[in-house]
Amino acid sequence: MSSIKLKRVGLENDVLQKCSRAKLSTCQDILSKNEVELMKLLDLGLFEVRSVLHTVSRKACPQFLTALEMKKDQSWQFCETGLKDLDLVLKGGLLIATLTEIAGPSGCGKTQFCLMVASKVAHMSVSNKKIPTQSVVYIDTENAFSAERLVEIATSNNPDMCDEDITELASNVHIFFEETCASLLNRLENMEEFLIEKNVKLMVVDSIASLVRKEFDNQLNKNLIERTNLLAKEANILKYLAESFSIPVIVTNQITTRYGKREETEQQEIDADTSEDMETPGEGGYVTAALGNTWSHCVNTRLIVQYLNAPYRQILIAKSPVAPFAAFVYRIQKKGLVLEDEGSQSYKGTDPGLQHIRVRSSLENMG
């Protein structure tokens, strides 16, 4: 919450101008200074500084609710994914104001899933001119975004779209390419005004794992701690944006191989990163979602995609505040992910940070 911009706190314009001149732009910038420092930086009296601190503190501190208030406020809202049976089990789709992760090996449809939801959200204001333009923010860290595939999914699911509709839909999706952890963090920290300006109704980060796995060696304890702290900070910002703007946030995650017993610590479990096309490891190792147990507890919902016998794949609800463990079989087609008619199947779930994921075998890779 300390990353909230001062422009959204409710300070007077003259105070905001003084903050800007002093290069104070967030609640954290104000709250990290004492009264004397702020008096010098802002050229304000003691009582004025205390008023500023009071205003900023009230905005930065998380609001509390009683259990009774939470029980009465069950007006959850959802964003449909376009997968009818999955939406049904999830009580309506992706829970708005929360963080949803989709994890799995490459080629299983993580980006396809994101493009499906993005096209569906961007199409809402195209098909209904009575509602304001609804936009999507798509942050790509792997250069995996395809405008052609976005349009193909949209037109396959909405065959009556004309050229003007396609242009409008594509204009509603705003793509940012980030190549370093620092640039991604900076983008997230400065996203608020853009979300307001463009009336953003969905945010996607594809993927949250690629940059940290490139820049941090998880064999070094110091790097592991720094990586965990960075991911926690990113998760906090994403959750803040989701809650403040009442939007769903989707992040994609990769896979890793862990060795040792499940009860062992996070450091012992993160021993080796799995190649995205690696076959299932031998005795003593298993494939699971990357980034460790700490990250797995940062997300509100975890969906896992994995391989079955070609051409089929499977999506698992591995963690959800509203849905039970469930599995769905799907194929990737022009429309995106297409579920098979058999509906959902229950399965025995486990800690989402330890859920085994099936990858392609070497024989399937050869085929």
Side-chain angles (χ1 to χ4, degrees), residues 31-59:
L31 297 176
S32 62
K33 301 286 191 298
N34 60 39
E35 292 178 344
V36 175
E37 289 174 321
L38 289 174
M39 289 172 65
K40 292 180 179 178
L41 286 170
L42 302 180
D43 191 26
L44 295 175
L46 177 61
F47 291 107
E48 291 174 303
V49 164
R50 286 179 175 173
S51 177
V52 169
L53 285 170
H54 177 71
T55 301
V56 171
S57 298
R58 289 190 60 183
K59 187 67 176 181

Short mmCIF file of all heavy atoms in Angstrom, two decimals, residues 31-59:
data_model
loop_
_atom_site.label_atom_id
_atom_site.label_comp_id
_atom_site.label_asym_id
_atom_site.label_seq_id
_atom_site.Cartn_x
_atom_site.Cartn_y
_atom_site.Cartn_z
N LEU A 31 6.22 8.71 4.21
CA LEU A 31 6.26 8.02 5.50
C LEU A 31 7.66 7.61 5.91
O LEU A 31 7.88 7.27 7.08
CB LEU A 31 5.34 6.79 5.44
CG LEU A 31 3.85 7.10 5.21
CD1 LEU A 31 3.06 5.81 5.08
CD2 LEU A 31 3.30 7.96 6.33
N SER A 32 8.61 7.63 4.99
CA SER A 32 9.98 7.28 5.34
C SER A 32 10.76 8.47 5.89
O SER A 32 11.91 8.33 6.30
CB SER A 32 10.72 6.73 4.11
OG SER A 32 10.79 7.71 3.08
N LYS A 33 10.11 9.64 5.90
CA LYS A 33 10.75 10.86 6.42
C LYS A 33 10.15 11.22 7.78
O LYS A 33 8.97 10.96 8.05
CB LYS A 33 10.54 12.03 5.45
CG LYS A 33 11.08 11.81 4.05
CD LYS A 33 12.59 11.90 4.01
CE LYS A 33 13.12 11.94 2.58
NZ LYS A 33 12.81 10.72 1.81
N ASN A 34 10.95 11.85 8.64
CA ASN A 34 10.40 12.32 9.92
C ASN A 34 9.83 13.73 9.75
O ASN A 34 9.94 14.35 8.68
CB ASN A 34 11.45 12.27 11.03
CG ASN A 34 12.67 13.14 10.74
OD1 ASN A 34 12.55 14.24 10.20
ND2 ASN A 34 13.86 12.63 11.09
N GLU A 35 9.23 14.25 10.80
CA GLU A 35 8.54 15.54 10.72
C GLU A 35 9.50 16.68 10.37
O GLU A 35 9.17 17.55 9.55
CB GLU A 35 7.83 15.84 12.05
CG GLU A 35 6.66 14.90 12.32
CD GLU A 35 6.01 15.19 13.66
OE1 GLU A 35 6.64 15.88 14.50
OE2 GLU A 35 4.87 14.72 13.88
N VAL A 36 10.68 16.67 10.96
CA VAL A 36 11.65 17.75 10.70
C VAL A 36 12.08 17.73 9.24
O VAL A 36 12.16 18.79 8.59
CB VAL A 36 12.87 17.61 11.63
CG1 VAL A 36 13.93 18.66 11.28
CG2 VAL A 36 12.45 17.77 13.09
N GLU A 37 12.36 16.55 8.72
CA GLU A 37 12.77 16.44 7.32
C GLU A 37 11.68 16.94 6.37
O GLU A 37 11.95 17.65 5.40
CB GLU A 37 13.10 14.98 6.99
CG GLU A 37 14.39 14.48 7.64
CD GLU A 37 14.61 13.00 7.42
OE1 GLU A 37 13.61 12.24 7.47
OE2 GLU A 37 15.76 12.60 7.21
N LEU A 38 10.43 16.59 6.67
CA LEU A 38 9.33 17.04 5.82
C LEU A 38 9.11 18.54 5.92
O LEU A 38 8.77 19.19 4.92
CB LEU A 38 8.05 16.29 6.21
CG LEU A 38 8.02 14.80 5.83
CD1 LEU A 38 6.77 14.13 6.39
CD2 LEU A 38 8.06 14.62 4.32
N MET A 39 9.31 19.10 7.10
CA MET A 39 9.17 20.55 7.25
C MET A 39 10.17 21.28 6.35
O MET A 39 9.83 22.28 5.71
CB MET A 39 9.39 20.95 8.72
CG MET A 39 8.25 20.52 9.64
SD MET A 39 8.63 20.79 11.40
CE MET A 39 8.74 22.58 11.45
N LYS A 40 11.41 20.76 6.27
CA LYS A 40 12.44 21.39 5.43
C LYS A 40 12.16 21.15 3.95
O LYS A 40 12.27 22.07 3.14
CB LYS A 40 13.81 20.83 5.80
CG LYS A 40 14.29 21.23 7.20
CD LYS A 40 15.66 20.62 7.49
CE LYS A 40 16.15 21.03 8.88
NZ LYS A 40 17.47 20.40 9.19
N LEU A 41 11.79 19.91 3.60
CA LEU A 41 11.58 19.57 2.19
C LEU A 41 10.36 20.29 1.60
O LEU A 41 10.38 20.73 0.45
CB LEU A 41 11.40 18.06 2.04
CG LEU A 41 12.66 17.19 2.18
CD1 LEU A 41 12.29 15.72 2.25
CD2 LEU A 41 13.60 17.45 1.01
N LEU A 42 9.29 20.39 2.41
CA LEU A 42 8.03 20.93 1.90
C LEU A 42 7.80 22.38 2.28
O LEU A 42 6.81 22.98 1.84
CB LEU A 42 6.86 20.07 2.40
CG LEU A 42 6.92 18.58 2.05
CD1 LEU A 42 5.71 17.85 2.62
CD2 LEU A 42 7.00 18.39 0.53
N ASP A 43 8.69 22.92 3.11
CA ASP A 43 8.53 24.31 3.56
C ASP A 43 7.15 24.51 4.19
O ASP A 43 6.41 25.44 3.86
CB ASP A 43 8.72 25.28 2.39
CG ASP A 43 8.83 26.73 2.85
OD1 ASP A 43 9.24 26.94 4.01
OD2 ASP A 43 8.48 27.63 2.07
N LEU A 44 6.82 23.61 5.12
CA LEU A 44 5.54 23.65 5.82
C LEU A 44 5.79 23.72 7.33
O LEU A 44 6.84 23.31 7.82
CB LEU A 44 4.70 22.42 5.50
CG LEU A 44 4.23 22.24 4.06
CD1 LEU A 44 3.53 20.89 3.91
CD2 LEU A 44 3.31 23.37 3.64
N GLY A 45 4.78 24.21 8.05
CA GLY A 45 4.85 24.23 9.50
C GLY A 45 4.58 22.85 10.08
O GLY A 45 4.15 21.92 9.38
N LEU A 46 4.81 22.70 11.38
CA LEU A 46 4.66 21.41 12.03
C LEU A 46 3.24 20.87 11.91
O LEU A 46 3.04 19.69 11.59
CB LEU A 46 5.07 21.52 13.50
CG LEU A 46 4.91 20.24 14.34
CD1 LEU A 46 5.76 19.12 13.77
CD2 LEU A 46 5.27 20.52 15.80
N PHE A 47 2.26 21.70 12.17
CA PHE A 47 0.87 21.23 12.13
C PHE A 47 0.46 20.83 10.70
O PHE A 47 -0.30 19.88 10.50
CB PHE A 47 -0.07 22.31 12.69
CG PHE A 47 0.09 22.53 14.17
CD1 PHE A 47 0.69 23.68 14.65
CD2 PHE A 47 -0.35 21.57 15.08
CE1 PHE A 47 0.85 23.88 16.01
CE2 PHE A 47 -0.21 21.76 16.44
CZ PHE A 47 0.40 22.92 16.92
N GLU A 48 0.97 21.57 9.71
CA GLU A 48 0.67 21.23 8.32
C GLU A 48 1.31 19.89 7.94
O GLU A 48 0.70 19.07 7.25
CB GLU A 48 1.18 22.33 7.38
CG GLU A 48 0.42 23.64 7.51
CD GLU A 48 1.05 24.74 6.67
OE1 GLU A 48 2.24 25.02 6.88
OE2 GLU A 48 0.34 25.31 5.81
N VAL A 49 2.54 19.67 8.40
CA VAL A 49 3.22 18.40 8.14
C VAL A 49 2.47 17.25 8.79
O VAL A 49 2.30 16.18 8.20
CB VAL A 49 4.68 18.46 8.62
CG1 VAL A 49 5.27 17.05 8.71
CG2 VAL A 49 5.51 19.32 7.69
N ARG A 50 2.02 17.46 10.01
CA ARG A 50 1.28 16.39 10.70
C ARG A 50 -0.04 16.10 9.99
O ARG A 50 -0.48 14.95 9.95
CB ARG A 50 1.03 16.80 12.15
CG ARG A 50 2.28 16.72 13.01
CD ARG A 50 2.05 17.14 14.45
NE ARG A 50 3.24 16.93 15.25
CZ ARG A 50 3.37 17.34 16.52
NH1 ARG A 50 2.36 17.99 17.12
NH2 ARG A 50 4.49 17.10 17.18
N SER A 51 -0.66 17.11 9.41
CA SER A 51 -1.88 16.91 8.65
C SER A 51 -1.60 16.07 7.40
O SER A 51 -2.37 15.17 7.05
CB SER A 51 -2.49 18.25 8.24
OG SER A 51 -3.63 18.08 7.43
N VAL A 52 -0.47 16.37 6.74
CA VAL A 52 -0.07 15.59 5.56
C VAL A 52 0.19 14.14 5.96
O VAL A 52 -0.28 13.20 5.29
CB VAL A 52 1.20 16.20 4.91
CG1 VAL A 52 1.77 15.24 3.85
CG2 VAL A 52 0.88 17.54 4.29
N LEU A 53 0.92 13.94 7.04
CA LEU A 53 1.23 12.58 7.50
C LEU A 53 -0.05 11.81 7.86
O LEU A 53 -0.17 10.62 7.57
CB LEU A 53 2.16 12.63 8.71
CG LEU A 53 3.63 12.97 8.42
CD1 LEU A 53 4.38 13.24 9.71
CD2 LEU A 53 4.28 11.84 7.65
N HIS A 54 -0.99 12.50 8.48
CA HIS A 54 -2.25 11.86 8.85
C HIS A 54 -3.02 11.42 7.60
O HIS A 54 -3.52 10.29 7.54
CB HIS A 54 -3.10 12.84 9.67
CG HIS A 54 -4.45 12.31 10.05
ND1 HIS A 54 -4.62 11.31 10.98
CD2 HIS A 54 -5.70 12.61 9.59
CE1 HIS A 54 -5.90 11.03 11.10
NE2 HIS A 54 -6.58 11.81 10.27
N THR A 55 -3.09 12.30 6.61
CA THR A 55 -3.82 11.99 5.38
C THR A 55 -3.17 10.82 4.65
O THR A 55 -3.84 9.89 4.20
CB THR A 55 -3.86 13.21 4.45
OG1 THR A 55 -4.51 14.29 5.12
CG2 THR A 55 -4.62 12.89 3.16
N VAL A 56 -1.85 10.88 4.54
CA VAL A 56 -1.12 9.83 3.82
C VAL A 56 -1.20 8.50 4.56
O VAL A 56 -1.40 7.44 3.95
CB VAL A 56 0.36 10.24 3.63
CG1 VAL A 56 1.18 9.08 3.08
CG2 VAL A 56 0.45 11.44 2.70
N SER A 57 -1.07 8.54 5.88
CA SER A 57 -1.12 7.31 6.68
C SER A 57 -2.47 6.62 6.56
O SER A 57 -2.54 5.39 6.44
CB SER A 57 -0.83 7.62 8.15
OG SER A 57 0.46 8.15 8.31
N ARG A 58 -3.55 7.40 6.58
CA ARG A 58 -4.88 6.80 6.47
C ARG A 58 -5.07 6.10 5.13
O ARG A 58 -5.73 5.06 5.05
CB ARG A 58 -5.95 7.87 6.65
CG ARG A 58 -6.07 8.40 8.07
CD ARG A 58 -7.30 9.28 8.23
NE ARG A 58 -8.53 8.57 7.93
CZ ARG A 58 -9.74 9.13 7.93
NH1 ARG A 58 -9.85 10.42 8.18
NH2 ARG A 58 -10.81 8.43 7.68
N LYS A 59 -4.49 6.69 4.09
CA LYS A 59 -4.62 6.08 2.76
C LYS A 59 -3.73 4.86 2.61
O LYS A 59 -4.10 3.88 1.97
CB LYS A 59 -4.25 7.12 1.69
CG LYS A 59 -4.52 6.65 0.27
CD LYS A 59 -6.00 6.49 -0.01
CE LYS A 59 -6.25 6.12 -1.46
NZ LYS A 59 -7.68 5.97 -1.77
#
